[in-house]
Amino acid sequence: MPRKAFVQDLQQAIQSFSHLKVSDVESGVEDGSVTFKYSYSPASVPIVIQALVTDVGEYPSSHMYMVYTTSENIPPHLSTALEDVGTLDGFNVSQMLARVTKCLDQADAGSQANPLDLVDDPMETDDHLVDGSDPEVDDDTDDGSDEIWTPESPSHGNIAARDLRKPPESRNRSAILSANRRIRADLRAVKQAGFRVGHLGGLINNAQDCFVTISIRVSKLGISEEAMQAWHLKPHQYFLLLIRYTAGYRSLDDLMASGNFHRSKDVTFRVGLSGHYKVPIDEAIRAFSRLKKKYGSDNYGRSFEDTDSSRPPAVEASKVLQPLFIGNPLQDLMNERLLAILNYRSAMGFGWKGAESYYIDHQGSNWSSEDTIDSKYYTPEFSCRAATLPKVVTDDHFAAAMTKSSLPLIAMQFVLRHLVRCTEFCLVCHERVEADFEALKPYVCSKPLCLYQYMAFGFGPSIEHDIIAQPHVVDLLISFCYSSATFGNLKTLPTGLALAVPAPSLMPARPRGLNSYRGMPMSSGSLDEKPNSARTLAVQPMHPPKSYKAKFDQTNMELILSPGETILYPNQWIYLIVPGAVQRRFYCRVIEAMHPTIRLGPPVCLSDTPEYEPRDSNSQPSPATPRRPGDSLADPTRTPVPIPPAAAAAVVGKYPEAEIIIYDQNFDDLSFSDKQSTTCMLLDTLPGVMDMKRYLQSKSGKDMNLKEWQDRISPAAAGVLRWIIASNRSCIVEVDHLEEGGSPRASEERVTGMPQWMQFRFAQGAPDKEQRFIQSIRDVTGQQQYPSLYAWHGSPLHNWHSIVREGLHFQDTAHGRAFGHGVYHATHVSTSLGYSGGYSYHHSDNSSAASAGQWPQSHLKISQAIALNEIVNAPLQFVSNNPHLVVAQLDWIQTRYLFVKINNTTTFDKDVPPKEIYAQDPKYTPTGSDGQKIVIPITAVSKSRRPLTTESKNGAKKVKTGNISEADDPVLLSDDTEFEDLQILIDEMEDVHEDKPPVPAKTKSKPTPYETTKTDFVAGTLDDTTLPLLEPPSFATPTATKALQRELNATLKIQESQPAHELGWYINRDLITNMYQWIIELHSFEPHLPLAKDLKTKDLRSVVMEVRFGKDYPMSPPFVRIIRPRFLSFMAGGGGHVTAGGALCMELLTNSGWSAVSNMESVLLQVRLAVSSTDPKPARLEPGKVRDYDVGEAIEAYIRACHTHGVSPSVVIAFVFWNSE
């Protein structure tokens, strides 16, 4: 198995990998990660290196690594070396460690190994200077001596050699400059469209693994305050689109030409939120890791448990990439469909709507140009929501651009289309949702498969997040559902979720006068049972409804089945009925099945049945602690082991025969009424929400997933819980924050006049419903002093489950409509309370028992619910305005508050009016439960509607600005754009630095008239198309560049002043496109030398040589090597101080023999003399076809020679690799 192979390789590496500078090799925090320390000097603090396998499931063959460091203040050359390591595809752990260590060693010792990620050229360059192509590379080895040298083990060098000798695409300068121009054009288009642009890990000059970030403030997306609150967004945050290019930047044209339109590995997308317009490189790496947390989906729930345990402390809080509430669906849409949809748009001329519909309708089919295309795909898109959105969201760059569309810009516009209008699309199939009601939160369409994937595959919200952040809202939603199911009023049910449940016909009647599980009365408004099309998604019943018998060992919680009977399997849930003087009934999970013995987990008892008191088997019994109403049986921080009652323990060797009811029925196959009763039964088995919160908090970020509490919550109960939370499409936020002890905390958002009622902010409708409501106010009331009024709306508790999902409407008639059709309201709370019904509670001995319809584990014990709505103040246009306010126009109604009557053991502090209040129409000011006029805080309305003056609680006027612009709010002031992100938008031909160093002249040099009788060399005739001309290195600085410029000018002056045959070397100014790399020709050798004769035989006029300079020149020597032709090696009888790899073996070019006062004229003179030397042997050319040396083999041979002669290699080796792959 992949994970097992990774673990084995990691353990082997921990035990066997040895390197002087490497220590503490161990498993990292992330699954599939390796951590080790690298000490680059004895006095330095070791660098912590992280290597993360992006998908452990692909190990050990097709996996990739992301290598980075979490340490601060590391030397730049080591940071660059880490960035250049690459993805190390297919390397095992030991090979990865060897490669990373080698790169760091080479960078530290003077040789930088993978220099593809370059910064912009600090010199002016012309893209017409070199029109080169890749040099020929011969795979033949040279006498077997060109093994790659490594500090420790030569066995690792074969991989490096294989990589170094690939003909690098980066050597074609013209192609690189052309690609750079395309990158800049694409990113400029993004910038001009109104977005922020950033890049990470290099981008230009053929960088292989890099990131582009595109961002925009949430406040600029036209999202209403209610939607921001429901979607967990804040105005000051940036919405980020991260694009990763794993094989270099790919334009849209490149991707379209490749024909791979399904989940391209070259380009992948992630989305998130941040306080900064871009995130650090390690955050980007983490975002693209496909390792999922065990707690659930990659959404906003993650922020609660991803608490710095895996994120290095160096990452600023504002730069952390925070999950998005629908991040998974958006990322799936982008990676799976974007390229295919763009292909359809390009080929057929569709708009976004037509291309998306065509994709959905033709998935899995091949398109042909001869196919007839339905005209429906060309129908223009109409969306009321889109008409209210800003231009930056609705623009369509793909339709507007005639040629060379910018993929980053198109991708950003596409993802914003599905983010800002998320309630219009299914979160799974992404098809337009044709719903007959509006929702504030996104959901799925009516297809059963979509609901199943939404719940089962992590597309829905994190219930763990809601339980921790707003436990009382979750309590409220469960209570509403429980009440609705009790009265048979659930119109939609959790079907299609593969819920395995016990047969309702076998379950006993509920005690204490509650409605029984069987034969529960249906409400008059219930729907008829319909065939379920999702049955194939769920488990099929393994048996007809049947109970079983088995002996029950209460001491060990074991069942003893009859011989040969195999009815139970691990992780199944059962309902157990144990006979006795007091019958015991409980639910439990099968832990182990060693037939005939079945070991069970801790019992889950309902509050109305005798319980086993739990304790930890490894601890001593402790005095019993009274449990509060709603507390569950089990301690949430541990798995309890039951202690049998004394009476049972006294009966030794005699086990009672228990009845077993197995969870083996498909919920979807039940009758409509049985589904309602089973929903109640499953909710009965849940622990209280506060218990769930304590359990999650006890995990401290390790496994914050209720699925891990498998001995307490059955999969079926967890599925119903997830369905309840995920299907809620209203935004409900606590106003009264009850503390753990039950006492409320005061809030400025609280409405006064409703003591003993718990309050929630309540918003419904589509994201643009608030805009439509505001527009209705403007159209109907004009400049009226009181444009809106507030009124109460009451409804029985069992109706609220539907209300929070469907919104207020008047499709169903529950209490008659004596005053016309519409939504009924009242200004007196007592009137609306008469329609809301209520439950009675009886308290004795600090315990409570609820009447029918109340969830037993509820901490709130809700008995009534009532809404406070804001309505357009036009009573004369209502259907009726006396005695009730009956409003038929739904756009005229906005829900603002939800009030619930909770158990009367909780006492609220005395109402304290808010400091700033909203002025109400005196004619229609509602009265509260205390008989006084209610006082509404100014926060009840959006900022855009708040008047310039507001009333304080004593009636005095107070000046306050209603509309706050981005510039007025310091939190929304733009953060500075990093220099590298500005620089990449500027073309090579544009001036980036004010102190930019001088550049060589760009005019073509004319061949110098040489004396033909003294030399056959002709200047300017070198074929430069295959020369390895490079971009400037990342370490290039204006100071070093100016110094080299001066050296070059001095050298050229000497060249122009002396006869060519006496000088013996030539520099073509036109080939110096980079001050750190000089191309030099050695020529006019003495005719008697074997080298001169070999050159004449091969019709060559010169030996082409390359000189590379490091950042420390002239304090360190340059690196000098032969490019062509190849010489005979020493082993084959050659000489001239030319190594087998083409490097010059001269003490002058080592740290030991170099002098800072040396100039390039003297260096070239000594190099020419060394090549011409006949001691101990003369230089000879390799027989056969003329071939080039590769820089990789030159460096290997140079290092071998230095070690052989006991001299120190040049520090410049750290930099000669800057563009060699």
Side-chain angles (χ1 to χ4, degrees), residues 603-856:
V604 176
C605 305
L606 300 185
S607 58
D608 61 298
T609 62
E611 303 168 350
Y612 292 128
E613 291 298 333
R615 69 171 175 88
D616 193 323
S617 59
N618 297 321
S619 63
Q620 296 298 322
S622 58
T625 302
R627 290 188 291 112
R628 294 188 300 273
D631 285 352
S632 70
L633 168 68
D635 182 346
T637 63
R638 61 192 179 190
T639 301
V641 176
I643 298 177
V651 182
V652 180
K654 294 183 179 180
Y655 301 134
E657 188 174 59
E659 182 179 4
I660 307 169
I661 302 174
I662 306 174
Y663 282 48
D664 61 357
Q665 303 296 303
N666 182 355
F667 181 89
D668 295 4
D669 292 335
L670 305 181
S671 67
F672 188 71
S673 60
D674 282 346
K675 288 176 182 175
Q676 310 262 351
S677 63
T678 301
T679 300
C680 286
M681 181 275 295
L682 293 174
L683 295 179
D684 275 338
T685 65
L686 283 175
V689 178
M690 298 307 295
D691 286 333
M692 290 188 265
K693 177 180 177 179
R694 285 190 288 269
Y695 170 80
L696 294 173
Q697 290 175 332
S698 72
K699 290 300 179 180
S700 302
K702 291 179 286 188
D703 288 314
M704 290 187 61
N705 191 333
L706 285 180
K707 290 182 180 179
E708 299 299 321
W709 205 4
Q710 54 186 353
D711 284 335
R712 181 61 185 87
I713 303 177
S714 69
V720 173
L721 175 62
R722 187 175 297 277
W723 171 78
I724 291 172
I725 297 174
S727 62
N728 167 43
R729 280 172 276 181
S730 298
C731 179
I732 306 175
V733 180
E734 298 177 21
V735 172
D736 295 315
H737 300 277
L738 294 185
E739 302 295 345
E740 194 73 20
S743 59
R745 192 166 69 244
S747 171
E748 272 295 307
E749 293 187 344
R750 181 175 173 81
V751 174
T752 58
M754 292 291 290
Q756 305 309 313
W757 286 75
M758 189 173 182
Q759 302 182 16
F760 298 85
R761 288 299 306 270
F762 188 35
Q764 291 187 298
D768 65 330
K769 191 173 187 300
E770 178 70 18
Q771 284 89 335
R772 301 203 308 267
F773 176 73
I774 294 173
Q775 190 60 46
S776 298
I777 288 179
R778 293 170 180 168
D779 295 342
V780 176
T781 65
Q783 300 298 319
Q784 190 171 312
Q785 181 181 3
Y786 303 106
S788 66
L789 59 86
Y790 283 81
W792 301 104
H793 174 80
S795 188
L797 200 62
H798 55 259
N799 287 341
W800 282 98
H801 176 82
S802 297
I803 292 175
V804 298
R805 284 154 179 76
E806 301 177 10
L808 291 173
H809 56 74
F810 46 92
Q811 298 173 3
D812 301 327
T813 303
H815 301 286
R817 292 181 181 169
F819 299 96
H821 293 279
V823 180
Y824 279 63
H825 296 83
T827 55
H828 293 274
V829 70
S830 57
T831 303
S832 295
L833 288 177
Y835 290 91
S836 68
Y839 299 147
S840 60
Y841 296 85
H842 306 282
H843 299 272
S844 61
D845 300 327
N846 293 325
S847 63
S848 64
S851 61
Q854 189 269 326
W855 182 43

Side-chain angles (χ1 to χ4, degrees), residues 906-919:
T906 300
T907 58
F908 291 84
D909 295 334
K910 184 179 179 181
D911 274 348
V912 178
K915 296 177 181 178
E916 298 177 6
I917 65 175
Y918 180 76

